[in-house]
Amino acid sequence: MEVKVDYVDMESGRHMHWLLASFLSLILLGFGSFLCGLYSYNPFAVKGMCSAAYFTFAVISIAFYWAKAAKVRSSCPTFMDSTVFKTYATEEGQIKHKLADGIIVATLGGVATSLGQFSLFLGFYYAPNGRGVITVIVVGSALLSALLSYFIYKEVLKVPHVLGMVICAVGIVIIALQSSTDGTIGGFVCGVLALLFFSLRNLASRQCDVDGLDVVTAGIFNALWEGITGWVIMGFLLGMGYNPFAGESSLHMSYIGGLMIAGGAYFLNQAIMTGYIGPAVTVANLVGVLQICLDFVFVGIVPDLVKIIGSLIAIFGVVFIMMGVDIFNWVLCKKEKINKEI
C-alpha cells in the first residue's frame, strides 16, 4: 500500500494549458534575454548572473510552497512531507521513504539546460559574426525533440502541427540568416552542442511527466541544478584566472533578466510536460521575433524588410500550430459540401 503525501495541491486538472504556458515562456524569455543583451557585453558574465538568478528562483519557489504547506497543515512540514520523496508502507507495516520517480531526470534536465546555455553563449563569444547560423542550428532542437519523442514516447503530431512547426522554423531561419551569415567551425560546434543539450532538456521534461513527477517539483529541480551547474562552470573559470565579471557595471540588470529567463524556462518545462514537445518549444523559439520588436520599441532599431517578412512567416507558423487542425477540418468540410452539391 502506497501512502501519497504532497506538500502542495497539485492536481493535474489545475495545471496551466500548455499553449498558455508556452506564451508565458516566450514573453519572459524574450524580455529577460533583451535585458541581458542590452546591459552586458560579456556572455560569460551573463551566464553567471543567469545561473545565480536560476538558483534564486528555485530557492524562492521552495520557500513559497513550503510556507503554503505549513499553512495547510497548520504545522511546519518535514522534508519527507514533500513530492521529492514518496512515503510507502511495506508488507510488514513499516513506513519507508524513497526518492520520487523523475527527480534524477529533472536534475539532469537542469544540468542540460545550463550546458546548453553555456554552449550557446560560448558560440556567440567566439563567433560574433555567426550568431545567425548558431541560432538557426539551435532552432532545430524543436524538430529534433519532436522526432525523438515520436520514436521514444510514440508522441504523434497531426499534419497541421508539423506544418506549422516547419513554417515557423522557416521564418526564424530567415531572421537569423539575415542577422549574420558568417561563422567559424568553433561557433558551429557550439551551436550543435547547444542543440543537443536543449533537446536533451526537452526530453527530460517529457520523461518527468512519464515518471509521474508534478510540474512544480520538476521545474524547481530544473532551476536549482541549472544554477548549481552554471556556478560550477563560473568557479572553474575563476579558478583558471579568468574573471568574466571584470568591467561589467550593470550586472544587476543581467540578474533581473536572468530571473525572467528562469521563469520562462519554468513555464517551458510546464508546457512540455502538459503538451507536445515540438509545438511547445516552437512557440518559445519566437524569442527572436519578440526581441526584434523590443529593439524597435525601446532602442529604436528599425528591422529591415527581410526580418519583417521572416517575423510574419514565423508568427503565421505559430498561428497554424494553434488553429491548423480547425483550418484543415473547415477546408475538408467545405470540400465535402461542394462535392455533395455537385
Side-chain angles (χ1 to χ4, degrees):
M1 181 181 67
E2 182 175 317
V3 181
K4 183 178 179 182
V5 181
D6 287 339
Y7 64 91
V8 64
D9 192 9
M10 297 176 181
E11 291 88 355
S12 59
R14 300 184 63 182
H15 290 334
M16 191 174 297
H17 190 274
W18 73 266
L19 187 57
L20 179 56
S22 291
F23 274 109
L24 287 174
S25 172
L26 166 64
I27 293 171
L28 289 171
L29 289 174
F31 275 90
S33 300
F34 175 73
L35 283 179
C36 289
L38 188 63
Y39 291 98
S40 183
Y41 301 98
N42 189 326
F44 296 104
V46 173
K47 176 57 189 164
M49 298 313 295
C50 283
S51 292
Y54 266 96
F55 189 83
T56 304
F57 179 87
V59 171
I60 293 175
S61 299
I62 292 172
F64 172 79
Y65 288 109
W66 216 262
K68 184 176 180 180
K71 183 178 180 180
V72 171
R73 293 167 56 93
S74 299
S75 62
C76 184
T78 66
F79 191 67
M80 293 300 179
D81 298 322
S82 70
T83 52
V84 178
F85 289 94
K86 282 189 175 181
T87 304
Y88 67 99
T90 63
E91 294 181 356
E92 294 76 17
Q94 295 178 324
I95 300 298
K96 292 188 176 181
H97 304 278
K98 67 176 182 178
L99 197 65
D101 296 334
I103 291 295
I104 295 178
V105 175
T107 298
L108 293 176
V111 174
T113 301
S114 187
L115 294 177
Q117 284 188 343
F118 184 69
S119 299
L120 183 62
F121 290 153
L122 196 64
F124 288 167
Y125 182 75
Y126 287 113
N129 294 327
R131 293 191 175 199
V133 176
I134 296 171
T135 302
V136 169
I137 295 172
V138 174
V139 166
S141 64
L143 299 176
L144 178 60
S145 299
L147 182 62
L148 291 175
S149 294
Y150 171 78
F151 290 105
I152 298 174
Y153 302 110
K154 311 303 179 184
E155 187 177 287
V156 180
L157 295 174
K158 294 184 178 179
V159 174
H161 293 148
V162 176
L163 186 58
M165 289 169 56
V166 173
I167 293 172
C168 184
V170 169
I172 296 173
V173 166
I174 291 174
I175 296 171
L177 291 179
Q178 177 64 15
S179 300
S180 62
T181 55
D182 298 328
T184 64
I185 295 298
F188 176 80
V189 171
C190 289
V192 172
L193 288 175
L195 161 68
L196 296 176
F197 282 127
F198 285 139
S199 298
L200 181 61
R201 183 272 314 275
N202 297 338
L203 292 176
S205 296
R206 165 59 65 237
Q207 186 62 43
C208 284
D209 178 57
V210 172
D211 289 339
L213 192 66
D214 63 273
V215 293
V216 174
T217 305
I220 289 176
F221 264 77
N222 196 292
L224 182 65
W225 282 95
E226 199 291 343
I228 292 174
T229 305
W231 271 94
V232 167
I233 296 174
M234 290 301 106
F236 175 78
L237 293 177
L238 291 171
M240 294 293 291
Y242 174 66
N243 182 7
F245 306 103
E248 293 285 339
S249 59
S250 302
L251 291 175
H252 63 287
M253 298 305 297
S254 296
Y255 180 75
I256 294 173
L259 286 175
M260 293 183 179
I261 292 175
Y266 176 86
F267 283 116
L268 178 58
N269 183 74
Q270 180 166 327
I272 293 174
M273 289 182 67
T274 57
Y276 290 106
I277 288 182
V281 178
T282 300
V283 173
N285 278 343
L286 283 178
V287 167
V289 176
L290 179 56
Q291 286 187 320
I292 290 175
C293 298
L294 294 175
D295 284 338
F296 174 72
V297 173
F298 294 103
V299 186
I301 299 177
V302 181
D304 55 42
L305 181 60
V306 176
K307 287 185 179 180
I308 293 175
I309 293 174
S311 299
L312 293 176
I313 292 174
I315 292 173
F316 177 74
V318 171
V319 171
F320 209 82
I321 289 174
M322 295 185 294
M323 303 178 61
V325 175
D326 294 331
I327 294 173
F328 267 48
N329 290 336
W330 181 80
V331 171
L332 291 175
C333 288
K334 282 288 185 179
K335 183 178 180 180
E336 184 179 348
K337 183 177 180 181
I338 293 173
N339 290 335
K340 286 182 178 180
E341 291 177 353
I342 294 176

